[in-house]
């Protein structure tokens, strides 16, 4: 049963939604914002001077999708451990990073299969967070954290959010349908990855718009993300008909979420 949760101020959600992973030397400093109710961030390097929010341009290169995913894990782990009731705030960031890595790996069969499995494991964490089951969430998180210990030096992560992520998701749904109809295997992989990434960004943005119901956003969009996962699994296993059937469910699932979000956001 979903646990009741107190209202969270929008600025606290913003701190995670736009916080970037700052790497100083070989130490990782995760800027996630701070308050008396916030969990501790990953231990910063002693020379770190970055304020919370996106770091200023300083010559660091953009993180690869895999690096961005790895750097999201300590943030998620801190919330799972220290403020589990609000861990839904950070979960979407890792979902989005895993989806971006999945999208990036679309052209390589081995890497694509790996990231499909990883995305499924991140969804397991999201399910446990939505269910209020901390032990299950930590159990699902542990193997993922062990696979990506980092750190990555001299990289910066883009955590910006589209102004209209829900609208941006629609062309990706169209592209997925078109790719399936055309039988373009790689295009289906890429489009399904784009949809997963777009949905995760919708979660991050929607949390800001409904502070009184923000804890429900992840739960309400999880069914659609699971359908995306079914598309990926079907494509990986060359089950074209299964992929088409799963894709057909996506719009109705996303429409259900959109209707709920509109009802609570006014």
């Amino acid at each position: 049963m979903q646990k009741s949760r107190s209202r969270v101020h929008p600025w606290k959600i913003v701190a995670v939604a736009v916080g970037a992973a700052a790497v100083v030397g070989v130490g990782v400093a995760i800027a996630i914002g701070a308050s008396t109710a916030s969990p501790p961030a990953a231990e910063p390097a002693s020379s770190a001077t970055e304020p919370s929010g996106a770091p200023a341009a300083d010559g660091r290169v953009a993180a690869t999708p895999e690096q961005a995913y790895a750097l999201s894990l300590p943030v998620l782990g801190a919330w799972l451990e220290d403020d589990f009731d609000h861990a839904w705030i950070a979960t979407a960031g890792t979902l989005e990073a895993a989806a971006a890595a999945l999208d990036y790996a679309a052209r390589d069969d081995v890497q694509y299969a790996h990231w499909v499995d990883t995305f499924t494991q991140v969804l397991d964490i999201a399910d446990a967070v939505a269910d209020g089951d901390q032990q299950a969430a930590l159990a699902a998180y542990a193997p993922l954290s062990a696979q990506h210990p980092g750190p990555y030096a001299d990289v910066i992560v883009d955590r910006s959010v589209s102004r209209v992520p829900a609208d941006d998701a629609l062309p990706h749904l169209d592209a997925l349908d078109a790719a399936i109809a055309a039988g373009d295997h790689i295009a289906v992989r890429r489009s399904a990855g784009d949809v997963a990434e777009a949905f995760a960004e919708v979660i991050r943005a929607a949390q800001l718009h409904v502070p009184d119901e923000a804890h429900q956003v992840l739960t309400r969009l999880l069914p659609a993300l699971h359908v995306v996962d079914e598309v990926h699994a079907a494509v990986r296993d060359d089950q074209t008909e299964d992929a088409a059937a799963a894709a057909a469910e996506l719009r109705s699932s996303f429409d259900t979420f959109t209707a709920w979000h509109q009802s609570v956001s006014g």
Side-chain angles (χ1 to χ4, degrees), residues 69 73 76-77 80-81 84 91 94-95 98 117-131 133-148 222 226:
Y69 164 76
L73 290 175
L76 177 58
L80 293 176
E81 287 277 5
F84 182 71
T91 302
T94 299
L95 278 168
D117 289 341
T118 299
F119 185 71
T120 301
Q121 289 176 280
V122 177
L123 278 178
D124 289 341
I125 299 174
D127 286 336
V129 169
D131 290 341
D133 190 337
Q134 184 177 25
Q135 292 306 309
L138 290 172
Y141 170 79
L144 295 180
S145 179
Q147 290 171 13
H148 291 275
L222 270 176
H226 276 290

Side-chain angles (χ1 to χ4, degrees), residues 12 28 34 48 58 95 114 155 164 177 194 206 210 212 222 231-232:
K12 186 175 181 183
V28 180
D58 57 6
L95 278 168
H114 166 74
V155 299
V164 285
D177 290 341
D194 288 339
V210 288
D212 290 323
L222 270 176
V231 174
H232 280 298

Side-chain angles (χ1 to χ4, degrees), residues 3 17 23-24 42 45 76 79 82 91 95 108 149 161 163 169 192 200 207 216 220 224 234 243 258 265:
K3 297 168 65 176
V23 182
V24 182
L76 177 58
W79 286 72
D82 301 312
T91 302
L95 278 168
D108 184 283
V161 180
R163 295 184 64 181
Q207 289 172 345
Q216 290 194 41
R220 296 279 183 166
T258 301
S265 63

Side-chain angles (χ1 to χ4, degrees), residues 63-71 97 100-101 104 111 114-115 147-148 152:
T64 67
E66 182 173 1
Q67 289 170 338
Y69 164 76
L71 289 167
Y104 187 74
Q111 286 298 308
H114 166 74
W115 284 104
Q147 290 171 13
H148 291 275
Y152 294 102

